[in-house]
Amino acid sequence: MPDLLSHPLFAAWLGIGAIALSLVLILLLAYLRYTLRRRTQAERSFLAVWRPLLLSSLQSSVATVLPMVARHERVYFLKLWNQLMRSASSNEAAENLIAIAYSVGADRYSRRFLTRGKRVECLLATLTLGHLRDHASWDALVLQTMAADNATAIHAFQALVQIDAAAAAQQLTPLMLARNDWAITHIAGILQPAHAAFMLPLLEAAEEIRAAHLVRALRLIEALQLPLSHTAILKLLDQDNDTDIIIAALRIASDASLLPHIRPHLQHPDWRVRGQAAKVIGRIGEHPDVNRLIPLLADAEWWVRYRAAQSLVGIPFLSMTEIELLRNNLSDRFARDMLSQAIAERQTL
């Protein structure tokens, strides 16, 4: 083997192979750049024709004669069309865009993209079918909500809510609560225009104290500001419940009549519960609660001290003079420092 490596002919062939490989890589790179340039030019040519046409449809009626969308232009059309649908400022503008999409067959090839397209094509098709309220794609979109890919699944869920919010609430609420990879803020944004359809399923989920996904249901109820019953909140605030359930219940507590059930949580063993209880007291507390918050300024956990200080500074019936007097009378240095920080933060607002 050493003799072969040192042979001049072997070295020559090795050099030729390296040069050939370099040439192949150079040609491949040149081809990729050429392809990208052609696609960019093709998209620019498409936009030069279609952007003015679609923009004009936002202000006036749809043109009677529309250019044909070639097969290679379908993705360009869906990208542009969905951008404009998101910016449509009136129902008339949206209806004009929808009429154009149907005229060029966007509903038909979007259904094909949904089941047989690449990932980008599938996502664009999902957005399109949702805007079109396309009931024919319902079953295919339901399958997409079960996809492992988070973006694919949540966009399909959004499309289904757009198509038929009531049916989506009935069929997909368990899935929505089970998918922990769907961010609560994202789901709440999707549900906001259709929150009435999801109100009953979410409130029913919150009534079952042993529900597997109770905390997520409560977080959505909070985000959508749905009216959970007083009786249900009392059950959720029970000290025997899991910590996460109590915290979620405290986050939605807004009635002063709940204070007798909230105050005991100021001494809860878990600092997260103590901090959340202090925050709630700052919103709905009464004069006697000031003396309940003061000891928390010396809590072992920084966040509890911070929440207690914020609540004391934010309580509407305490003047700044009273708060400063309270701070000056504190014997604990850490408590004084935390209340001073909260005072400074309020003064900068």
Side-chain angles (χ1 to χ4, degrees):
M1 188 66 179
D3 292 340
L4 178 61
L5 293 176
S6 61
H7 196 283
L9 187 58
F10 177 81
W13 278 110
L14 190 62
I16 292 171
I19 293 171
L21 181 60
S22 299
L23 288 173
V24 169
L25 291 175
I26 291 170
L27 290 172
L28 180 60
L29 181 60
Y31 173 75
L32 291 174
R33 291 182 62 183
Y34 170 74
T35 303
L36 179 60
R37 190 181 302 113
R38 284 197 61 183
R39 288 179 182 172
T40 303
Q41 291 173 348
E43 186 167 7
R44 285 176 181 168
S45 299
F46 172 85
L47 292 175
V49 174
W50 274 96
R51 188 189 293 276
L53 194 156
L54 292 180
L55 286 173
S56 67
S57 72
L58 298 176
Q59 306 296 330
S60 59
S61 59
V62 181
T64 54
V65 180
L66 295 170
M68 185 183 71
V69 177
R71 182 181 294 272
H72 71 277
E73 295 176 328
R74 290 173 177 175
V75 170
Y76 307 150
F77 178 84
L78 295 184
K79 285 170 60 178
L80 176 61
W81 187 86
N82 278 286
Q83 288 173 4
L84 295 177
M85 277 296 294
R86 286 194 296 269
S87 62
S89 57
S90 67
N91 288 335
E92 182 183 0
E95 290 301 323
N96 288 344
L97 287 171
I98 289 172
I100 290 175
Y102 278 118
S103 297
V104 300
D107 57 321
R108 296 192 302 274
Y109 58 76
S110 289
R111 289 189 211 108
R112 287 196 292 272
F113 281 158
L114 184 64
T115 55
R116 298 193 291 273
K118 299 174 183 176
R119 185 173 185 269
V120 172
E121 293 170 341
C122 179
L123 289 174
L124 284 171
T126 301
L127 293 172
T128 303
L129 294 167
H131 287 308
L132 292 176
R133 312 289 196 270
D134 186 69
H135 287 268
S137 59
W138 183 271
D139 291 340
L141 286 167
V142 169
L143 286 176
Q144 295 285 0
T145 63
M146 303 173 193
D149 179 57
N150 180 46
T152 297
I154 202 164
H155 279 90
F157 174 72
Q158 181 175 9
L160 290 164
V161 172
Q162 290 175 303
I163 293 169
D164 189 335
Q170 182 178 4
Q171 185 173 352
L172 297 173
T173 295
L175 175 68
M176 174 186 72
L177 295 177
R179 289 212 56 153
N180 293 320
D181 55 335
W182 291 4
I184 292 293
T185 52
H186 197 162
I187 298 175
I190 293 171
L191 298 188
Q192 192 62 57
H195 68 277
F198 283 83
M199 180 186 297
L200 184 59
L202 284 173
L203 294 180
E204 287 178 346
E207 293 282 350
E208 178 50 60
I209 199 71
R210 300 302 174 194
H213 307 292
L214 175 59
V215 173
R216 279 179 65 81
L218 293 173
R219 293 291 307 278
L220 279 169
I221 287 170
E222 176 197 0
L224 296 171
Q225 298 181 335
L226 300 180
L228 188 60
S229 71
H230 186 276
T231 303
I233 298 178
L234 284 180
K235 287 169 54 180
L236 296 167
L237 287 172
D238 191 295
Q239 296 199 61
D240 292 332
N241 288 334
D242 292 341
T243 297
D244 289 337
I245 293 175
I246 296 173
I247 292 171
L250 288 169
R251 289 170 66 101
I252 59 178
S254 58
D255 188 345
S257 65
L258 293 168
L259 283 170
H261 305 273
I262 294 172
R263 288 167 180 146
H265 292 302
L266 293 171
Q267 285 81 45
H268 195 279
D270 193 302
W271 68 266
R272 295 173 299 160
V273 176
R274 298 197 302 275
Q276 191 61 48
K279 187 175 180 179
V280 177
I281 296 289
R283 289 202 316 265
I284 62 175
E286 300 170 345
H287 274 88
D289 293 312
V290 172
N291 291 328
R292 294 184 175 92
L293 288 173
I294 291 174
L296 294 184
L297 292 172
D299 194 275
E301 178 60 43
W302 185 92
W303 275 107
V304 177
R305 300 198 300 273
Y306 182 62
R307 293 301 185 199
Q310 281 186 318
S311 292
L312 286 167
V313 170
I315 285 180
F317 50 76
L318 280 184
S319 68
M320 187 55 66
T321 301
E322 291 174 308
I323 295 170
E324 290 176 347
L325 180 62
L326 172 62
R327 177 195 59 188
N328 296 336
N329 289 331
L330 291 171
S331 58
D332 187 279
R333 177 173 64 86
F334 294 106
R336 285 197 308 273
D337 290 346
M338 186 58 74
L339 195 52
S340 296
Q341 178 179 333
I343 292 170
E345 288 177 358
R346 177 176 174 179
Q347 291 173 339
T348 59
L349 295 177

